[in-house]
Amino acid sequence: MIRCFLVAALAAAALLTAGPAGAAAPSVGECLDCHGDKSIEMTTPGGQTVSLHVDLEEYRRSVHGGGSCVTCHTDAKSPHERLAKVNCGRCHGDAAKSYASSSHGKLRAKGVADVPACHDCHGKHGIRKSKDPAARTFHLNIAAACLRCHKDRAIERKYGLPGEKEMIGYERSVHGLASKGGQMGSAVCPDCHGNHTILPGDNPKSATNRQNIPTLCGKCHTGILDKYERSVHAKGMRAGIAESPVCTDCHGEHTISKVSDPNSPVAARNIPKTCSRCHDKEGISSRYALPKKRFSSYMDSFHGIAVEYGMTKAANCASCHGVHDILPSSDPASTVNKANLPNTCGRCHPKAGPNFAKGPVHVEITPSKSLGVFAIRVFYTLFISALVILFVLHVGLEMYGRWNRRRKGGAEGKGSPK
Ligand code: HEC
Ligand code: HEC
Ligand code: HEC
Ligand code: HEC
Ligand code: HEC
Ligand code: HEC
Ligand code: HEC
Ligand code: HEC
Ligand code: HEC
Ligand code: HEC
Ligand code: HEC
């Protein structure tokens, strides 16, 4: 500190002797007389030591490098007193306005330092256009800037944000891996959240609000959005049915994986569970007058058992109902409409005759829904139980008999003379 004051005093003296030239706006060179020194430091009121070095090369290559230091540090003289914070909004009004309406900006305005200011994302003296691969905000670099805070346990706990696991999940997701591999078209944080107008998902204006998610994902997955919009789920969702699924209900948010990944919620083996999160819920079935027990009736079927045991060729919910364009069976365009069933089943059962698809598919095994199957099931349950009991009894008696015979044989052996 003392050295700093000495330097400042020296510079002040130099300035006084320089006469009227010192009154003009200070040049970059004048500021760098002191700030070009690699060892120049300052102790913050918090007690931290921070470097005050500014790299001229980096500054000259930045978008603002053509101007002098006072374009941003408007109150700086050479030498100077304590300076005011830089206001980027003086020249970037639009960015500053949208930033001010965001979750980050609102807290920053209250003086909270845990949220990012402009320079936390853009840098200070090396700012580049976002198109420049060396920019911090370049598409493939920005996630690292977000994750510096969003993978920080302390911040996550203090503000109740999604856990570190969820963020690591993003890095391992299909989008995260593709970005890491240099694929420019893949989704990074601001593609879904925006850059300056980041808002919580429960705000209707947020890009990640439920109502906006299909459009958000559809920006890049256009073909799928078109299909989805035709489905019963999209119609329900647009009509305000909160339980109707949007893309993230079936795929996840940050942890979206390739369909071919066996852990994906939409991998063939996991589809029944994913659909049944809703379709096996009593509430949903009765509220929307949907038939119940779609999961258990499927799991009891040949297909359900086969899929459960890893035979992914057997039919899962999506093989019969479709995926993004699911329609009720009453709709003539539905893959499970009576008229279309021979076709739908025929994809996998090409040799099946016209009667193959006639029987009901989701068989609820109750006396009122299907007495025949119920009776056969009861008969088999009793029959097999009786069979097992008789079998155990039979084996038990047989063993007792053998043991008894051996015991008697042994006793006779001991008593007889050699
Ligand atoms: C004579 C040397 C000297 C010159 C010339 C000088 N500075 Fe500084 N500057 C310092 C010192 C010393 C500090 C640390 C002050 C402290 O410890 O509080 C500092 C701190 C700063 C800070 C950060 C602390 C704060 O007050 O916010 C900024 C920004 C800054 N200078 C910008 C400039 C700019 C822009 C110029 C050119 C117009 C300039 N300086 C010229 C010596 C100088
Ligand atoms: C595009 C705007 C901009 C320009 C131009 C600019 N600075 Fe800064 N500078 C900042 C910001 C933002 C900070 C962070 C502190 C703040 O908000 O005031 C900062 C901080 C500093 C600091 C404090 C140390 C640090 O890194 O936080 C020094 C010293 C400094 N600037 C010197 C300079 C010098 C010397 C020049 C000219 C070569 C210059 N600045 C040009 C935006 C700018
Ligand atoms: C949370 C990080 C973050 C913060 C905070 C932030 N920006 Fe940005 N900003 C970005 C990203 C990311 C882009 C680039 C988006 C892209 O790829 O086009 C961007 C783009 C820009 C652009 C380029 C023009 C444009 O719209 O593409 C300007 C100018 C800009 N920001 C200024 C600011 C200013 C001024 C502030 C503070 C008021 C600020 N930014 C705060 C992340 C941020
Ligand atoms: C005195 C006005 C002024 C101030 C203050 C200022 N900028 Fe700029 N900024 C400009 C101008 C002018 C350009 C355009 C340079 C060009 O296109 O070559 C620019 C360009 C940018 C770009 C690149 C835009 C693009 O097209 O990709 C970003 C990002 C940016 N500024 C961020 C900031 C941030 C962050 C701050 C505060 C730390 C800031 N600016 C302060 C005038 C300013
Ligand atoms: C300097 C640290 C920091 C950086 C960098 C940062 N954030 Fe944040 N972010 C926070 C903090 C702290 C909060 C909590 C704010 C609150 O609760 O209002 C937050 C909140 C959020 C929220 C939730 C909004 C809400 O109100 O629930 C989202 C989404 C978000 N950030 C996304 C991003 C994205 C995307 C980036 C990168 C472009 C980013 N953040 C960069 C610190 C940061
Ligand atoms: C494919 C789109 C997508 C990407 C990429 C993405 N997110 Fe999210 N993010 C979401 C969705 C959707 C939500 C849930 C919003 C809700 O329902 O509240 C969310 C929620 C969040 C939240 C919790 C705040 C809230 O609104 O509930 C934070 C913080 C967050 N994301 C940060 C990030 C960060 C940091 C990255 C980059 C490492 C990132 N996200 C990448 C879609 C995405
Ligand atoms: C987030 C909950 C949710 C998930 C996940 C979900 N659905 Fe739905 N589904 C609904 C709701 C709610 C309706 C009623 C919407 C309406 O009528 O507008 C519905 C309607 C249907 C219908 C039409 C019923 C009728 O007669 O109108 C079928 C068929 C259907 N879903 C099949 C599926 C399949 C197959 C999957 C898995 C690939 C699935 N659903 C995943 C909630 C869900
Ligand atoms: C009801 C659940 C459900 C909803 C809602 C849903 N998906 Fe899917 N999605 C699936 C299933 C199941 C698969 C796997 C299909 C297969 O096995 O080929 C899939 C596959 C995909 C694929 C990869 C395969 C392909 O066809 O390219 C993408 C990309 C995709 N979905 C994006 C979306 C988007 C975007 C939305 C929202 C507009 C969405 N999904 C809504 C269940 C859903
Ligand atoms: C910025 C564009 C973009 C956005 C936004 C986006 N995606 Fe993607 N998504 C991609 C790209 C590109 C790939 C292919 C990555 C690869 O090749 O590995 C992909 C891959 C996928 C896959 C894997 C497909 C497969 O082959 O199995 C699914 C599923 C998916 N996205 C779902 C979503 C969902 C759901 C959302 C919304 C929450 C979303 N995406 C938002 C660009 C995007
Ligand atoms: C082998 C083909 C097939 C499989 C696999 C299948 N379904 Fe179905 N599903 C049908 C047919 C055919 C109908 C219409 C007749 C009926 O209700 O039995 C139907 C009806 C439905 C209905 C009633 C609404 C309507 O459109 O009539 C729902 C909801 C449903 N299925 C959900 C599911 C779920 C969830 C799964 C997976 C756990 C599944 N289905 C598996 C063929 C199938
Ligand atoms: C995704 C392909 C696929 C679809 C679609 C499909 N199945 Fe199957 N199904 C299988 C596989 C694989 C098996 C077990 C192998 C086998 O025996 O053919 C099977 C077995 C069966 C069996 C057990 C008896 C048998 O033939 O081995 C019946 C009954 C059956 N399916 C009926 C249907 C009906 C009805 C439909 C249409 C509503 C249908 N399946 C649609 C793949 C499918």
Side-chain angles (χ1 to χ4, degrees):
M1 268 307 255
I2 291 169
R3 204 185 69 110
C4 289
F5 276 117
L6 276 179
V7 173
L10 270 178
L15 201 73
L16 284 174
T17 49
S27 68
V28 170
E30 281 175 79
C31 306
L32 288 174
D33 278 347
C34 296
H35 291 289
D37 180 352
K38 286 209 166 92
S39 63
I40 185 170
E41 291 177 346
M42 170 179 93
T43 309
T44 62
Q48 276 175 304
T49 308
V50 292
S51 166
L52 297 178
H53 171 65
V54 175
D55 184 340
L56 180 65
E57 283 277 295
E58 191 196 19
Y59 180 68
R60 284 300 186 209
R61 278 197 300 261
S62 79
V63 279
H64 304 106
S68 84
C69 310
V70 290
T71 46
C72 285
H73 300 287
T74 46
D75 53 342
K77 289 193 272 312
S78 176
H80 58 81
E81 306 276 296
R82 265 235 98 98
L83 299 176
K85 286 270 166 223
V86 170
N87 175 13
C88 312
R90 215 160 47 80
C91 304
H92 299 289
D94 289 350
K97 208 169 135 203
S98 41
Y99 168 77
S101 69
S102 76
S103 292
H104 290 149
K106 276 186 206 146
L107 280 193
R108 190 83 194 179
K110 286 185 197 151
V112 177
D114 289 340
V115 287
C118 316
H119 66 259
D120 285 309
C121 293
H122 288 283
K124 298 169 192 164
H125 305 121
I127 297 174
R128 290 166 180 246
K129 283 187 192 294
S130 303
K131 276 190 289 228
D132 184 337
R136 273 204 215 186
T137 51
F138 180 64
H139 197 258
L140 301 178
N141 302 338
I142 187 66
C146 308
L147 288 171
R148 191 170 60 79
C149 298
H150 284 283
K151 247 165 75 176
D152 181 331
R153 277 257 161 95
I155 286 189
E156 166 199 322
R157 284 208 202 96
K158 191 164 162 193
Y159 297 93
L161 294 169
E164 186 193 17
K165 249 201 196 148
E166 178 92 8
M167 291 294 126
I168 293 173
Y170 167 76
E171 293 178 294
R172 293 183 186 155
S173 74
V174 61
H175 296 133
L177 289 174
S179 304
K180 208 170 168 200
Q183 194 173 328
M184 281 293 281
S186 187
V188 296
C189 329
D191 285 316
C192 294
H193 290 284
N195 44 18
H196 299 144
T197 28
I198 293 172
L199 290 168
D202 55 16
N203 184 322
K205 280 197 202 140
S206 168
T208 55
N209 182 265
R210 260 188 98 70
Q211 285 288 328
N212 304 331
I213 282 178
T215 326
L216 170 67
C217 310
K219 263 197 310 199
C220 303
H221 299 287
T222 41
I224 291 175
L225 177 63
D226 293 344
K227 276 191 183 169
Y228 173 78
E229 291 293 7
R230 275 180 259 133
S231 75
V232 61
H233 289 145
K235 282 177 198 140
M237 184 277 235
R238 298 285 180 216
I241 295 177
E243 288 103 332
S244 252
V246 297
C247 322
T248 46
D249 287 308
C250 297
H251 290 284
E253 290 156 1
H254 297 119
T255 53
I256 296 168
S257 47
K258 266 198 192 314
V259 174
S260 54
D261 181 338
N263 292 323
S264 162
V266 299
R269 196 178 165 183
N270 303 330
I271 288 176
K273 263 182 251 137
T274 301
C275 308
S276 307
R277 271 202 354 250
C278 298
H279 285 286
D280 232 23
K281 254 200 223 154
E282 278 294 321
I284 289 187
S285 300
S286 30
R287 210 163 322 140
Y288 306 109
L290 299 180
K292 290 178 190 149
K293 299 233 162 68
R294 292 294 102 158
F295 180 62
S296 47
S297 59
Y298 165 76
M299 290 315 286
D300 278 347
S301 76
F302 184 91
H303 294 133
I305 293 163
V307 168
E308 181 67 11
Y309 283 97
M311 188 189 202
T312 44
K313 272 190 310 195
N316 60 54
C317 321
S319 326
C320 296
H321 288 280
V323 180
H324 297 117
D325 46 4
I326 293 171
L327 292 168
S329 57
S330 53
D331 189 315
S334 164
T335 49
V336 294
N337 181 276
K338 271 232 150 60
N340 303 327
L341 275 180
N343 233 340
T344 304
C345 312
R347 278 196 358 253
C348 302
H349 299 285
K351 287 189 215 119
N355 288 332
F356 183 73
K358 283 239 169 90
V361 175
H362 292 281
V363 184
E364 271 186 63
I365 306 172
T366 59
S368 59
K369 290 280 162 76
S370 44
L371 185 59
V373 181
F374 180 73
I376 290 170
R377 171 162 283 206
V378 169
F379 170 74
Y380 269 108
T381 310
L382 292 176
F383 180 71
I384 290 167
S385 309
L387 217 60
V388 169
I389 292 167
L390 286 174
F391 179 72
V392 169
L393 214 62
H394 174 84
V395 172
L397 283 173
E398 174 71 26
M399 278 169 64
Y400 175 74
R402 279 187 194 196
W403 173 75
N404 214 17
R405 259 174 271 142
R406 197 175 302 153
R407 195 177 54 104
K408 277 191 186 148
E412 274 161 23
K414 252 187 217 161
S416 65
K418 277 224 164 119

